[in-house]
Each structure stands twice: as structure tokens, then as C-alpha cells.
Coordinates of all heavy atoms in Angstrom, one line a residue:
M1226 N -2.9 -3.2 -20.8 CA -2.4 -4.5 -21.0 C -3.7 -5.4 -21.2 O -4.6 -5.4 -20.4 CB -1.6 -5.0 -19.8 CG -1.4 -6.5 -19.8 SD -0.5 -7.1 -18.3 CE 0.5 -5.8 -17.8
T1227 N -3.7 -6.1 -22.3 CA -4.8 -7.0 -22.6 C -4.2 -8.4 -23.1 O -3.4 -8.4 -24.0 CB -5.7 -6.4 -23.7 OG1 -6.2 -5.2 -23.2 CG2 -6.9 -7.4 -24.0
F1228 N -4.7 -9.4 -22.5 CA -4.2 -10.7 -22.9 C -5.3 -11.3 -23.8 O -6.5 -11.1 -23.6 CB -4.1 -11.7 -21.7 CG -3.0 -11.2 -20.7 CD1 -3.4 -10.8 -19.4 CD2 -1.7 -11.0 -21.0 CE1 -2.5 -10.3 -18.5 CE2 -0.8 -10.5 -20.1 CZ -1.2 -10.2 -18.9
T1229 N -4.8 -12.1 -24.8 CA -5.8 -12.6 -25.8 C -6.1 -14.1 -25.5 O -7.1 -14.6 -26.0 CB -5.2 -12.5 -27.2 OG1 -3.9 -13.1 -27.2 CG2 -5.1 -11.1 -27.6
S1230 N -5.2 -14.7 -24.7 CA -5.4 -16.1 -24.3 C -4.6 -16.5 -23.1 O -3.7 -15.7 -22.7 CB -5.0 -17.0 -25.5 OG -3.6 -16.9 -25.7
L1231 N -4.8 -17.6 -22.5 CA -4.0 -18.1 -21.4 C -2.6 -18.2 -21.9 O -1.6 -17.9 -21.1 CB -4.6 -19.4 -20.9 CG -3.9 -20.0 -19.7 CD1 -3.8 -19.0 -18.5 CD2 -4.5 -21.3 -19.2
A1232 N -2.3 -18.8 -23.0 CA -1.0 -18.9 -23.5 C -0.3 -17.6 -23.7 O 0.9 -17.4 -23.3 CB -1.0 -19.6 -24.9
H1233 N -0.9 -16.6 -24.1 CA -0.4 -15.2 -24.3 C -0.1 -14.7 -22.9 O 1.0 -14.1 -22.7 CB -1.4 -14.3 -25.0 CG -1.0 -12.9 -25.1 ND1 -1.8 -11.8 -24.8 CD2 0.2 -12.3 -25.5 CE1 -1.1 -10.7 -25.0 NE2 0.1 -11.0 -25.4
L1234 N -0.9 -14.8 -21.9 CA -0.7 -14.4 -20.5 C 0.6 -15.1 -20.0 O 1.4 -14.4 -19.4 CB -1.9 -14.7 -19.7 CG -1.8 -14.2 -18.2 CD1 -3.3 -13.9 -17.8 CD2 -1.2 -15.2 -17.3
K1235 N 0.7 -16.4 -20.1 CA 1.8 -17.1 -19.6 C 3.1 -16.7 -20.2 O 4.2 -16.7 -19.5 CB 1.6 -18.6 -19.8 CG 0.5 -19.2 -18.9 CD 0.0 -20.5 -19.3 CE 1.0 -21.6 -19.2 NZ 0.4 -23.0 -19.4
R1236 N 3.1 -16.3 -21.5 CA 4.3 -15.8 -22.1 C 4.7 -14.4 -21.7 O 5.8 -13.9 -21.8 CB 4.1 -15.8 -23.7 CG 4.2 -17.1 -24.3 CD 4.3 -17.0 -25.8 NE 3.2 -16.1 -26.4 CZ 2.0 -16.6 -26.8 NH1 1.7 -17.8 -26.7 NH2 1.2 -15.7 -27.3
T1237 N 3.7 -13.6 -21.2 CA 3.9 -12.2 -21.0 C 4.3 -11.8 -19.5 O 5.0 -10.9 -19.3 CB 2.6 -11.4 -21.4 OG1 2.3 -11.7 -22.7 CG2 2.8 -9.9 -21.2
V1238 N 3.7 -12.5 -18.6 CA 3.9 -12.2 -17.1 C 5.4 -12.5 -16.8 O 6.0 -13.5 -17.4 CB 2.9 -12.9 -16.2 CG1 1.5 -12.4 -16.5 CG2 3.0 -14.4 -16.2
H1239 N 5.9 -11.8 -15.8 CA 7.4 -12.0 -15.5 C 7.6 -11.8 -14.0 O 6.9 -11.0 -13.4 CB 8.2 -11.1 -16.4 CG 7.8 -9.7 -16.3 ND1 8.2 -8.8 -15.3 CD2 6.9 -8.9 -17.0 CE1 7.7 -7.6 -15.4 NE2 6.9 -7.7 -16.5
P1240 N 8.7 -12.3 -13.5 CA 9.1 -12.1 -12.1 C 9.2 -10.6 -11.9 O 9.7 -9.9 -12.7 CB 10.4 -12.8 -11.9 CG 10.3 -13.9 -12.9 CD 9.6 -13.3 -14.1
G1241 N 8.8 -10.1 -10.7 CA 8.9 -8.7 -10.3 C 7.6 -8.0 -10.6 O 7.4 -6.9 -10.1
Q1242 N 6.8 -8.5 -11.5 CA 5.5 -7.9 -11.8 C 4.6 -7.9 -10.6 O 4.5 -8.9 -9.9 CB 4.9 -8.6 -13.0 CG 3.7 -7.9 -13.5 CD 3.2 -8.6 -14.8 OE1 3.9 -9.4 -15.4 NE2 1.9 -8.4 -15.2
R1243 N 3.8 -6.8 -10.4 CA 2.8 -6.8 -9.3 C 1.5 -7.3 -9.8 O 1.1 -7.1 -11.0 CB 2.6 -5.3 -8.9 CG 3.9 -4.7 -8.4 CD 4.4 -5.1 -7.0 NE 3.5 -4.4 -6.1 CZ 3.3 -4.8 -4.8 NH1 4.0 -5.8 -4.4 NH2 2.5 -4.2 -4.0
V1244 N 0.8 -8.0 -8.9 CA -0.5 -8.6 -9.3 C -1.4 -8.6 -8.1 O -0.9 -8.7 -6.9 CB -0.3 -10.1 -9.8 CG1 0.4 -11.0 -8.7 CG2 -1.6 -10.7 -10.2
Y1245 N -2.7 -8.3 -8.3 CA -3.6 -8.3 -7.2 C -4.4 -9.6 -7.2 O -5.0 -9.9 -8.3 CB -4.6 -7.1 -7.2 CG -5.4 -7.0 -6.0 CD1 -4.9 -6.3 -4.9 CD2 -6.6 -7.7 -5.8 CE1 -5.7 -6.3 -3.7 CE2 -7.3 -7.7 -4.6 CZ -6.8 -7.0 -3.6 OH -7.5 -6.9 -2.4
V1246 N -4.3 -10.4 -6.2 CA -5.0 -11.7 -6.1 C -6.2 -11.6 -5.2 O -6.1 -11.1 -4.1 CB -4.0 -12.7 -5.5 CG1 -4.7 -14.1 -5.4 CG2 -2.8 -12.8 -6.4
T1247 N -7.3 -12.0 -5.8 CA -8.6 -12.1 -5.0 C -8.8 -13.6 -4.8 O -8.9 -14.4 -5.8 CB -9.8 -11.5 -5.8 OG1 -9.5 -10.2 -6.0 CG2 -11.1 -11.7 -5.0
N1248 N -8.8 -14.1 -3.6 CA -8.9 -15.5 -3.3 C -10.3 -15.7 -2.6 O -10.5 -15.2 -1.5 CB -7.8 -15.9 -2.3 CG -7.8 -17.4 -2.0 OD1 -8.9 -18.0 -1.9 ND2 -6.7 -18.0 -1.8
N1249 N -11.2 -16.3 -3.4 CA -12.6 -16.5 -2.9 C -12.7 -17.6 -1.9 O -13.7 -17.7 -1.2 CB -13.6 -16.6 -4.0 CG -13.7 -15.3 -4.8 OD1 -13.7 -14.3 -4.2 ND2 -13.8 -15.4 -6.1
W1250 N -11.7 -18.5 -1.9 CA -11.7 -19.6 -0.9 C -11.2 -19.2 0.5 O -11.7 -19.6 1.5 CB -10.9 -20.8 -1.4 CG -11.4 -21.6 -2.5 CD1 -12.7 -21.6 -2.9 CD2 -10.7 -22.4 -3.4 NE1 -12.9 -22.4 -4.0 CE2 -11.7 -22.9 -4.3 CE3 -9.4 -22.8 -3.6 CZ2 -11.3 -23.8 -5.4 CZ3 -9.0 -23.6 -4.6 CH2 -10.0 -24.2 -5.5
H1251 N -10.2 -18.3 0.4 CA -9.6 -17.8 1.7 C -9.4 -16.3 1.5 O -8.3 -15.8 1.3 CB -8.3 -18.5 2.0 CG -8.4 -19.9 2.1 ND1 -8.9 -20.6 3.2 CD2 -8.0 -20.9 1.2 CE1 -8.9 -21.9 3.0 NE2 -8.4 -22.1 1.8
P1252 N -10.5 -15.5 1.6 CA -10.4 -14.1 1.4 C -9.4 -13.3 2.2 O -8.9 -12.3 1.8 CB -11.9 -13.5 1.7 CG -12.7 -14.8 1.6 CD -11.9 -15.9 2.0
H1253 N -9.1 -13.8 3.4 CA -8.1 -13.1 4.3 C -6.7 -13.1 3.7 O -5.9 -12.3 4.1 CB -8.1 -13.7 5.7 CG -7.6 -15.2 5.7 ND1 -8.4 -16.2 5.3 CD2 -6.4 -15.7 6.0 CE1 -7.7 -17.3 5.4 NE2 -6.5 -17.0 5.8
I1254 N -6.4 -13.9 2.6 CA -5.1 -13.9 2.0 C -5.1 -13.2 0.7 O -4.2 -13.3 -0.1 CB -4.4 -15.3 2.0 CG1 -5.2 -16.3 1.2 CG2 -4.1 -15.8 3.4 CD1 -4.5 -17.6 0.9
S1255 N -6.2 -12.5 0.3 CA -6.3 -11.7 -0.9 C -5.4 -10.5 -0.7 O -5.2 -10.0 0.4 CB -7.7 -11.3 -1.2 OG -8.6 -12.4 -1.4
G1256 N -4.9 -10.0 -1.8 CA -4.1 -8.7 -1.7 C -3.1 -8.6 -2.8 O -3.0 -9.5 -3.7
M1257 N -2.3 -7.6 -2.7 CA -1.2 -7.3 -3.7 C -0.1 -8.3 -3.4 O 0.3 -8.6 -2.3 CB -0.7 -5.9 -3.5 CG 0.2 -5.4 -4.6 SD -0.6 -5.4 -6.2 CE -1.7 -4.0 -6.1
R1258 N 0.5 -8.8 -4.5 CA 1.6 -9.7 -4.5 C 2.6 -9.4 -5.6 O 2.2 -8.6 -6.5 CB 1.2 -11.2 -4.6 CG 0.2 -11.6 -3.5 CD 0.0 -13.1 -3.5 NE -1.1 -13.5 -2.7 CZ -1.7 -14.6 -2.7 NH1 -1.4 -15.5 -3.6 NH2 -2.7 -14.9 -1.9
T1259 N 3.8 -9.9 -5.5 CA 4.8 -9.8 -6.5 C 5.0 -11.2 -7.1 O 5.1 -12.2 -6.4 CB 6.1 -9.2 -5.9 OG1 5.8 -8.0 -5.3 CG2 7.1 -9.0 -7.0
I1260 N 5.1 -11.3 -8.4 CA 5.4 -12.5 -9.1 C 6.8 -12.9 -8.8 O 7.8 -12.1 -9.0 CB 5.2 -12.5 -10.6 CG1 3.7 -12.2 -10.8 CG2 5.6 -13.8 -11.3 CD1 3.3 -12.0 -12.3
A1261 N 7.0 -14.1 -8.2 CA 8.4 -14.5 -7.8 C 9.0 -15.4 -8.9 O 10.2 -15.4 -9.1 CB 8.3 -15.3 -6.5
K1262 N 8.1 -16.2 -9.5 CA 8.6 -17.2 -10.5 C 7.5 -17.6 -11.4 O 6.4 -17.8 -11.0 CB 9.2 -18.4 -9.8 CG 10.0 -19.3 -10.7 CD 11.0 -20.2 -10.0 CE 11.8 -20.9 -11.0 NZ 12.9 -21.6 -10.5
V1263 N 7.8 -17.8 -12.7 CA 6.9 -18.2 -13.7 C 7.4 -19.5 -14.3 O 8.5 -19.5 -14.8 CB 6.6 -17.2 -14.8 CG1 5.6 -17.7 -15.8 CG2 6.2 -15.8 -14.2
Q1264 N 6.6 -20.5 -14.2 CA 7.0 -21.8 -14.9 C 5.9 -22.2 -15.9 O 4.8 -21.6 -15.9 CB 7.2 -22.9 -13.9 CG 8.3 -22.6 -12.9 CD 8.5 -23.8 -11.9 OE1 7.6 -24.6 -11.7 NE2 9.6 -23.8 -11.2
T1265 N 6.2 -23.1 -16.8 CA 5.2 -23.5 -17.8 C 3.9 -24.1 -17.1 O 2.8 -23.9 -17.7 CB 5.8 -24.5 -18.7 OG1 6.2 -25.7 -18.0 CG2 6.9 -23.9 -19.6
N1266 N 4.0 -24.7 -16.0 CA 2.9 -25.3 -15.4 C 2.3 -24.6 -14.1 O 1.3 -24.9 -13.6 CB 3.2 -26.8 -15.0 CG 4.3 -26.9 -14.0 OD1 5.2 -26.0 -13.9 ND2 4.3 -27.9 -13.2
R1267 N 3.1 -23.6 -13.6 CA 2.6 -22.9 -12.4 C 3.3 -21.6 -12.2 O 4.2 -21.2 -12.9 CB 2.8 -23.8 -11.1 CG 4.3 -24.2 -10.9 CD 4.4 -25.2 -9.8 NE 5.7 -25.4 -9.4 CZ 6.1 -25.8 -8.2 NH1 5.2 -26.2 -7.3 NH2 7.3 -26.0 -7.9
L1268 N 2.8 -20.8 -11.2 CA 3.1 -19.5 -10.9 C 3.4 -19.3 -9.4 O 2.6 -19.8 -8.6 CB 2.0 -18.5 -11.4 CG 2.1 -17.1 -11.1 CD1 3.2 -16.4 -12.0 CD2 0.7 -16.4 -11.4
A1269 N 4.4 -18.6 -9.1 CA 4.7 -18.3 -7.6 C 4.5 -16.8 -7.4 O 5.1 -16.0 -8.1 CB 6.1 -18.8 -7.2
T1270 N 3.8 -16.5 -6.3 CA 3.6 -15.1 -6.0 C 4.0 -14.9 -4.5 O 3.9 -15.8 -3.7 CB 2.2 -14.6 -6.2 OG1 1.3 -15.3 -5.4 CG2 1.8 -14.6 -7.6
L1271 N 4.5 -13.7 -4.2 CA 5.0 -13.4 -2.9 C 4.3 -12.3 -2.3 O 4.2 -11.2 -2.9 CB 6.5 -13.1 -2.9 CG 7.3 -13.1 -1.6 CD1 7.2 -14.4 -0.9 CD2 8.8 -12.7 -1.9
A1272 N 3.7 -12.5 -1.1 CA 2.9 -11.4 -0.4 C 3.9 -10.6 0.5 O 4.9 -11.2 0.9 CB 1.8 -12.0 0.4
P1273 N 3.6 -9.4 0.7 CA 4.4 -8.6 1.6 C 4.5 -9.3 3.0 O 3.5 -9.8 3.5 CB 3.7 -7.3 1.8 CG 2.8 -7.2 0.5 CD 2.4 -8.6 0.2
G1274 N 5.7 -9.3 3.5 CA 5.9 -9.9 4.8 C 6.1 -11.5 4.8 O 6.4 -12.0 5.9
R1275 N 6.0 -12.1 3.7 CA 6.2 -13.5 3.6 C 7.5 -13.9 3.0 O 8.0 -13.2 2.1 CB 5.1 -14.2 2.8 CG 3.8 -14.3 3.5 CD 2.8 -15.3 2.8 NE 3.4 -16.5 2.4 CZ 3.1 -17.7 3.0 NH1 2.3 -17.8 4.0 NH2 3.6 -18.8 2.5
E1276 N 8.1 -14.9 3.5 CA 9.4 -15.3 3.0 C 9.3 -16.4 1.9 O 10.1 -16.5 1.0 CB 10.3 -15.9 4.1 CG 10.7 -14.8 5.1 CD 11.6 -15.4 6.2 OE1 12.3 -16.4 6.0 OE2 11.6 -14.8 7.3
K1277 N 8.2 -17.2 2.0 CA 8.0 -18.2 1.0 C 6.9 -17.8 0.1 O 5.8 -17.3 0.5 CB 7.7 -19.6 1.7 CG 8.9 -20.1 2.4 CD 8.5 -21.5 3.0 CE 9.7 -22.1 3.7 NZ 9.4 -23.4 4.2
P1278 N 7.0 -18.1 -1.2 CA 5.9 -17.8 -2.1 C 4.8 -18.8 -2.1 O 4.9 -19.9 -1.6 CB 6.6 -17.8 -3.5 CG 7.7 -18.8 -3.3 CD 8.2 -18.7 -1.9
W1279 N 3.6 -18.3 -2.5 CA 2.5 -19.2 -2.8 C 2.5 -19.7 -4.2 O 2.8 -18.8 -5.1 CB 1.2 -18.5 -2.6 CG 0.7 -18.4 -1.2 CD1 0.4 -19.4 -0.4 CD2 0.5 -17.2 -0.4 NE1 -0.1 -19.0 0.9 CE2 0.0 -17.6 0.9 CE3 0.6 -15.9 -0.6 CZ2 -0.3 -16.7 1.9 CZ3 0.3 -15.0 0.4 CH2 -0.2 -15.4 1.6
W1280 N 2.4 -20.9 -4.4 CA 2.4 -21.5 -5.8 C 1.0 -21.8 -6.2 O 0.2 -22.3 -5.4 CB 3.2 -22.8 -5.8 CG 4.7 -22.5 -5.8 CD1 5.5 -22.5 -4.6 CD2 5.6 -22.3 -6.9 NE1 6.8 -22.3 -5.0 CE2 6.9 -22.1 -6.4 CE3 5.3 -22.2 -8.2 CZ2 7.9 -21.9 -7.2 CZ3 6.4 -21.9 -9.1 CH2 7.7 -21.8 -8.5
V1281 N 0.7 -21.6 -7.4 CA -0.6 -22.0 -8.0 C -0.4 -22.6 -9.4 O 0.5 -22.1 -10.1 CB -1.6 -20.9 -8.0 CG1 -1.2 -19.8 -9.0 CG2 -3.0 -21.3 -8.4
D1282 N -1.0 -23.8 -9.6 CA -0.9 -24.3 -11.0 C -1.7 -23.5 -11.9 O -2.8 -23.0 -11.6 CB -1.4 -25.8 -11.0 CG -0.5 -26.7 -10.2 OD1 0.7 -26.4 -10.0 OD2 -1.0 -27.8 -9.8
W1283 N -1.2 -23.3 -13.1 CA -2.0 -22.6 -14.1 C -3.3 -23.4 -14.4 O -3.2 -24.7 -14.4 CB -1.3 -22.5 -15.5 CG -0.1 -21.6 -15.5 CD1 1.2 -22.0 -15.6 CD2 -0.1 -20.2 -15.4 NE1 2.0 -20.8 -15.6 CE2 1.2 -19.7 -15.4 CE3 -1.1 -19.2 -15.2 CZ2 1.6 -18.4 -15.4 CZ3 -0.7 -17.9 -15.1 CH2 0.6 -17.5 -15.2
P1284 N -4.4 -22.8 -14.5 CA -5.6 -23.6 -14.8 C -5.7 -24.2 -16.2 O -5.0 -23.7 -17.1 CB -6.7 -22.5 -14.6 CG -6.1 -21.2 -15.0 CD -4.7 -21.3 -14.6
K1285 N -6.4 -25.2 -16.3 CA -6.7 -25.8 -17.7 C -7.5 -24.7 -18.4 O -8.2 -23.9 -17.8 CB -7.5 -27.1 -17.6 CG -6.8 -28.1 -16.8 CD -5.6 -28.7 -17.5 CE -5.0 -29.9 -16.7 NZ -3.7 -30.2 -17.1
A1286 N -7.4 -24.7 -19.7 CA -8.0 -23.6 -20.5 C -9.6 -23.6 -20.2 O -10.2 -22.5 -20.1 CB -7.8 -23.8 -22.0
A1287 N -10.1 -24.8 -20.0 CA -11.6 -24.8 -19.8 C -12.0 -24.2 -18.4 O -13.1 -23.9 -18.2 CB -12.1 -26.3 -19.8
L1288 N -11.0 -24.1 -17.5 CA -11.3 -23.6 -16.2 C -10.7 -22.2 -16.0 O -10.5 -21.7 -14.9 CB -10.8 -24.5 -15.1 CG -11.5 -25.8 -15.0 CD1 -10.7 -26.7 -14.0 CD2 -12.9 -25.7 -14.6
A1289 N -10.3 -21.5 -17.1 CA -9.7 -20.2 -17.1 C -10.6 -19.2 -17.9 O -11.1 -19.6 -18.9 CB -8.3 -20.2 -17.6
R1290 N -10.7 -18.0 -17.4 CA -11.3 -16.9 -18.2 C -10.4 -15.7 -18.2 O -9.8 -15.3 -17.2 CB -12.6 -16.5 -17.5 CG -13.7 -17.6 -17.4 CD -14.2 -18.0 -18.8 NE -15.2 -19.1 -18.7 CZ -14.9 -20.3 -18.8 NH1 -13.7 -20.8 -19.0 NH2 -15.9 -21.3 -18.7
I1291 N -10.2 -15.2 -19.4 CA -9.3 -14.0 -19.6 C -10.2 -12.8 -19.9 O -11.1 -12.9 -20.7 CB -8.4 -14.2 -20.8 CG1 -7.5 -15.4 -20.6 CG2 -7.6 -13.0 -21.0 CD1 -6.4 -15.3 -19.5
D1292 N -10.1 -11.8 -19.1 CA -10.8 -10.5 -19.3 C -9.8 -9.4 -19.2 O -9.5 -9.0 -18.1 CB -12.0 -10.4 -18.3 CG -12.8 -9.2 -18.5 OD1 -12.7 -8.6 -19.6 OD2 -13.5 -8.8 -17.5
G1293 N -9.3 -8.9 -20.3 CA -8.3 -7.9 -20.3 C -7.1 -8.4 -19.7 O -6.4 -9.2 -20.2
A1294 N -6.8 -7.8 -18.5 CA -5.5 -8.2 -17.8 C -5.8 -9.1 -16.6 O -5.0 -9.3 -15.7 CB -4.8 -6.9 -17.3
K1295 N -7.1 -9.6 -16.6 CA -7.4 -10.5 -15.4 C -7.5 -11.9 -15.9 O -8.1 -12.2 -16.9 CB -8.8 -10.0 -14.8 CG -8.7 -8.7 -14.2 CD -10.0 -8.3 -13.6 CE -10.0 -6.9 -13.0 NZ -11.3 -6.5 -12.5
L1296 N -7.0 -12.8 -15.0 CA -7.2 -14.2 -15.2 C -8.0 -14.8 -14.1 O -7.7 -14.6 -12.9 CB -5.8 -14.9 -15.1 CG -5.8 -16.4 -15.0 CD1 -6.4 -17.1 -16.3 CD2 -4.4 -17.0 -14.9
T1297 N -9.1 -15.4 -14.4 CA -10.1 -15.9 -13.5 C -9.9 -17.4 -13.5 O -9.9 -18.1 -14.6 CB -11.5 -15.6 -13.8 OG1 -11.6 -14.1 -13.8 CG2 -12.5 -16.2 -12.9
F1298 N -9.7 -18.0 -12.3 CA -9.6 -19.4 -12.1 C -10.9 -19.9 -11.7 O -11.4 -19.5 -10.6 CB -8.6 -19.8 -11.0 CG -7.1 -19.5 -11.3 CD1 -6.7 -18.2 -11.5 CD2 -6.2 -20.6 -11.4 CE1 -5.3 -18.0 -11.7 CE2 -4.9 -20.3 -11.6 CZ -4.4 -19.0 -11.7
L1299 N -11.6 -20.8 -12.4 CA -12.8 -21.4 -12.0 C -12.6 -22.6 -11.1 O -11.6 -23.3 -11.2 CB -13.7 -21.8 -13.2 CG -14.0 -20.6 -14.2 CD1 -14.8 -21.2 -15.4 CD2 -14.7 -19.5 -13.5
D1300 N -13.5 -22.8 -10.2 CA -13.4 -23.9 -9.3 C -13.5 -25.2 -10.0 O -14.5 -25.5 -10.7 CB -14.5 -23.8 -8.2 CG -14.5 -24.9 -7.1 OD1 -13.9 -26.0 -7.3 OD2 -15.0 -24.6 -6.0
P1301 N -12.6 -26.1 -10.0 CA -12.6 -27.4 -10.8 C -13.8 -28.3 -10.3 O -14.3 -29.1 -11.1 CB -11.3 -28.1 -10.5 CG -10.6 -27.3 -9.5 CD -11.3 -26.0 -9.3
E1302 N -14.2 -28.1 -9.1 CA -15.4 -29.0 -8.6 C -16.7 -28.4 -9.0 O -17.7 -29.1 -9.0 CB -15.2 -29.2 -7.1 CG -14.0 -30.1 -6.8 CD -13.9 -30.3 -5.3 OE1 -14.9 -30.1 -4.5 OE2 -12.8 -30.7 -4.9
D1303 N -16.7 -27.1 -9.2 CA -18.0 -26.4 -9.6 C -17.6 -25.2 -10.5 O -17.4 -24.1 -10.0 CB -18.7 -25.9 -8.3 CG -20.1 -25.2 -8.7 OD1 -20.4 -25.1 -9.9 OD2 -20.8 -24.9 -7.7
P1304 N -17.5 -25.4 -11.8 CA -17.0 -24.4 -12.7 C -17.9 -23.1 -12.8 O -17.6 -22.2 -13.4 CB -17.0 -25.1 -14.0 CG -16.9 -26.5 -13.7 CD -17.6 -26.7 -12.4
E1305 N -19.1 -23.1 -12.1 CA -19.9 -22.0 -12.0 C -19.3 -21.0 -10.9 O -19.8 -19.8 -10.9 CB -21.3 -22.3 -11.6 CG -22.0 -23.2 -12.7 CD -22.2 -22.5 -14.0 OE1 -22.6 -21.3 -14.0 OE2 -21.9 -23.1 -15.1
K1306 N -18.4 -21.4 -10.1 CA -17.9 -20.6 -9.0 C -16.5 -20.2 -9.4 O -15.7 -20.9 -10.0 CB -17.8 -21.4 -7.7 CG -19.2 -21.7 -7.1 CD -19.0 -22.5 -5.8 CE -20.4 -22.8 -5.2 NZ -20.2 -23.6 -4.0
V1307 N -16.1 -19.0 -9.0 CA -14.8 -18.4 -9.2 C -13.9 -18.7 -7.9 O -14.3 -18.4 -6.8 CB -14.9 -16.9 -9.4 CG1 -13.5 -16.3 -9.4 CG2 -15.6 -16.6 -10.7
A1308 N -12.8 -19.3 -8.2 CA -11.9 -19.6 -7.1 C -10.9 -18.5 -6.8 O -10.8 -18.0 -5.7 CB -11.1 -20.9 -7.4
F1309 N -10.3 -18.0 -7.8 CA -9.3 -16.9 -7.7 C -9.5 -16.0 -8.9 O -9.8 -16.4 -10.0 CB -7.9 -17.4 -7.8 CG -7.5 -18.5 -6.9 CD1 -7.4 -19.8 -7.4 CD2 -7.3 -18.4 -5.6 CE1 -7.1 -20.9 -6.7 CE2 -7.0 -19.5 -4.8 CZ -6.9 -20.7 -5.3
V1310 N -9.0 -14.7 -8.7 CA -8.9 -13.8 -9.8 C -7.5 -13.1 -9.6 O -7.2 -12.6 -8.6 CB -10.0 -12.7 -9.8 CG1 -9.7 -11.7 -11.0 CG2 -11.3 -13.3 -9.9
Y1311 N -6.7 -13.2 -10.7 CA -5.4 -12.6 -10.7 C -5.5 -11.3 -11.6 O -5.7 -11.5 -12.8 CB -4.3 -13.5 -11.2 CG -3.8 -14.5 -10.1 CD1 -4.6 -15.3 -9.4 CD2 -2.4 -14.6 -9.9 CE1 -4.2 -16.1 -8.4 CE2 -1.9 -15.5 -8.9 CZ -2.8 -16.2 -8.2 OH -2.4 -17.1 -7.3
D1312 N -5.3 -10.1 -11.1 CA -5.3 -8.9 -11.9 C -3.9 -8.5 -12.1 O -3.2 -8.0 -11.2 CB -6.1 -7.8 -11.2 CG -6.3 -6.6 -12.0 OD1 -5.6 -6.4 -13.0 OD2 -7.1 -5.7 -11.6
F1313 N -3.4 -8.6 -13.4 CA -2.1 -8.3 -13.7 C -1.8 -6.8 -14.1 O -0.7 -6.4 -14.4 CB -1.6 -9.2 -14.9 CG -1.5 -10.7 -14.4 CD1 -2.6 -11.5 -14.6 CD2 -0.3 -11.1 -13.8 CE1 -2.5 -12.9 -14.2 CE2 -0.2 -12.5 -13.4 CZ -1.3 -13.3 -13.6
D1314 N -2.9 -6.0 -14.0 CA -2.8 -4.6 -14.2 C -3.6 -3.9 -13.1 O -4.6 -3.2 -13.3 CB -3.4 -4.2 -15.6 CG -3.2 -2.7 -15.9 OD1 -2.4 -2.1 -15.2 OD2 -3.9 -2.3 -16.8
P1315 N -3.2 -4.1 -11.8 CA -3.9 -3.6 -10.7 C -4.1 -2.1 -10.7 O -5.1 -1.6 -10.1 CB -3.2 -4.1 -9.5 CG -1.8 -4.4 -9.9 CD -1.9 -4.7 -11.4
A1316 N -3.2 -1.3 -11.3 CA -3.3 0.1 -11.3 C -4.2 0.6 -12.4 O -4.6 1.7 -12.4 CB -1.9 0.7 -11.5
G1317 N -4.6 -0.3 -13.3 CA -5.4 0.0 -14.4 C -4.8 1.0 -15.4 O -5.5 1.7 -16.2
D1318 N -3.5 1.0 -15.5 CA -2.8 2.0 -16.4 C -2.3 1.3 -17.6 O -1.6 2.0 -18.4 CB -1.7 2.7 -15.6 CG -0.7 1.8 -15.1 OD1 -0.7 0.5 -15.4 OD2 0.2 2.3 -14.4
G1319 N -2.6 0.1 -17.9 CA -2.1 -0.6 -19.1 C -0.6 -1.1 -18.9 O -0.1 -1.7 -19.8
E1320 N 0.0 -0.8 -17.8 CA 1.4 -1.3 -17.6 C 1.4 -2.5 -16.7 O 0.6 -2.6 -15.8 CB 2.2 -0.2 -16.9 CG 2.3 1.1 -17.8 CD 3.1 0.8 -19.1 OE1 4.1 0.1 -19.0 OE2 2.7 1.3 -20.1
P1321 N 2.3 -3.4 -16.9 CA 2.4 -4.6 -16.1 C 2.9 -4.2 -14.7 O 3.5 -3.2 -14.4 CB 3.5 -5.5 -16.8 CG 4.2 -4.6 -17.7 CD 3.3 -3.4 -18.0

């Protein structure tokens, strides 16, 4: 799976898909999640054992980096720093 742009990624991801989230602000909540809901402006993921999803706004294009199946969110206060990485192909097999 390879995304060509943020718009392509937003059209392609879907509820039920597995994603590995690396959270550089709060590393203890990094891990495998399931996409619970996709909206035009944000994404909800559910971690194992949680009843409520975590919501994240899609980044502005200037604060997003696409690398294959990974979406990197840059820190809006310091775009040299990575805030989150969402890996939409955690198994590396080309499947969502």
C-alpha cells in the first residue's frame, strides 16, 4: 500500500483497518489501534481495552509527510519535530 498524497490517504483508509500509531508526545500510548471512524476533518482510532476512541484532526498538508503507507504529523509549533506517525500497513505486506 502506497499513498500518493494526504487526500489519497484520506479516501483510502476505512473503519476496521489496523494502524500502528507512534506518539512522540506521549510514547506510553503508542501501539496498534483500529480505525473506528474516518471523517473529512479527523480520524478516530481505538486502542485495545479502551471503550472510547482517540480523535486526531488530519494535519494540514504543510504539516504532513507521506512515506509509502505512513503518515507523519509534524509538530505545528516546531515543524522540525515529529508529533505522530500513523503506519497504515503495520505488517508490511501491502495490505490495509
Side-chain angles (χ1 to χ4, degrees):
M1226 169 187 324
T1227 299
F1228 300 115
T1229 56
S1230 66
L1231 182 58
H1233 178 227
L1234 184 150
K1235 289 165 67 173
R1236 285 191 308 269
T1237 306
V1238 299
H1239 54 84
Q1242 184 175 344
R1243 303 282 287 161
V1244 59
Y1245 189 88
V1246 178
T1247 303
N1248 185 326
N1249 291 323
W1250 288 340
H1251 303 285
H1253 64 284
I1254 60 172
S1255 295
M1257 192 62 73
R1258 298 190 191 162
T1259 302
I1260 296 175
K1262 191 159 187 165
V1263 179
Q1264 296 180 343
T1265 57
N1266 62 332
R1267 60 191 191 153
L1268 173 73
T1270 60
L1271 194 58
R1275 282 195 46 108
E1276 293 182 23
K1277 292 185 178 182
W1279 275 297
W1280 285 93
V1281 64
D1282 291 339
W1283 291 113
K1285 302 287 184 199
L1288 294 173
R1290 298 292 179 267
I1291 302 288
D1292 181 18
K1295 293 181 182 178
L1296 169 62
T1297 298
F1298 292 66
L1299 301 178
D1300 185 334
E1302 294 180 15
D1303 184 357
E1305 297 295 316
K1306 293 182 180 177
V1307 172
F1309 312 103
V1310 178
Y1311 280 52
D1312 185 348
F1313 292 93
D1314 185 17
D1318 59 6
E1320 296 295 321

